[in-house]
Amino acid sequence: QVQLVESGGGLVQPGGSLRLACAGSGSIFSISAMGWYRRAPGKQREMVATIASGGTNYGDSVKGRFTTSRDGGENTVQLQMNNLKPEDTAVYYCAAFTAGGTFWGQGTQVTVSS
């Protein structure tokens, strides 16, 4: 089992920045990759970014604006979000991928509005 806790969400104006963090605990040795997903009201869950030993991957809508990084020693993953747009408003979830399945955090709300 892996437990994930996100932090750093909030309200920001368009063009602003936020940094999300996700801390993992439990069977962290089993984590092969981590990622960020989001779900906006009335929409399906969308992949934002993933990070593994092979590198990072970003959703098309956030490329060039969002950056993810991972501190393997502390099993934390961050998501730096720049130039935020109203369409980035969503609940953001941290995910950890293991051979035994995918684990999810509780989510953190990001609202981009003037």
Side-chain angles (χ1 to χ4, degrees):
Q1 295 287 328
V2 174
Q3 294 78 44
L4 301 170
V5 178
E6 302 102 334
S7 61
L11 173 66
V12 64
Q13 292 186 344
S17 297
L18 277 177
R19 186 175 181 87
L20 305 183
C22 173
S25 61
S27 301
I28 57 176
F29 60 88
S30 64
I31 297 174
S32 58
M34 299 186 77
W36 292 94
Y37 290 73
R38 68 186 182 187
R39 176 170 285 163
K43 295 186 177 181
Q44 291 187 335
R45 186 174 61 198
E46 175 187 16
M47 188 276 287
V48 176
T50 61
I51 184 166
S53 59
T56 56
N57 188 37
Y58 296 93
D60 288 341
S61 62
V62 306
K63 284 180 180 177
R65 300 187 297 124
F66 291 12
T67 303
T68 191
S69 59
R70 181 181 175 188
D71 182 342
E74 296 186 2
N75 257 306
T76 60
V77 62
Q78 294 82 33
L79 182 68
Q80 178 66 42
M81 305 184 292
N82 297 327
N83 191 22
L84 283 159
K85 305 175 181 180
E87 51 264 42
D88 293 318
T89 296
V91 178
Y92 284 70
Y93 298 90
C94 176
F97 303 97
T98 75
T102 301
F103 297 90
W104 297 92
Q106 81 287 353
T108 185
Q109 177 71 45
V110 171
T111 302
V112 185
S113 175
S114 56

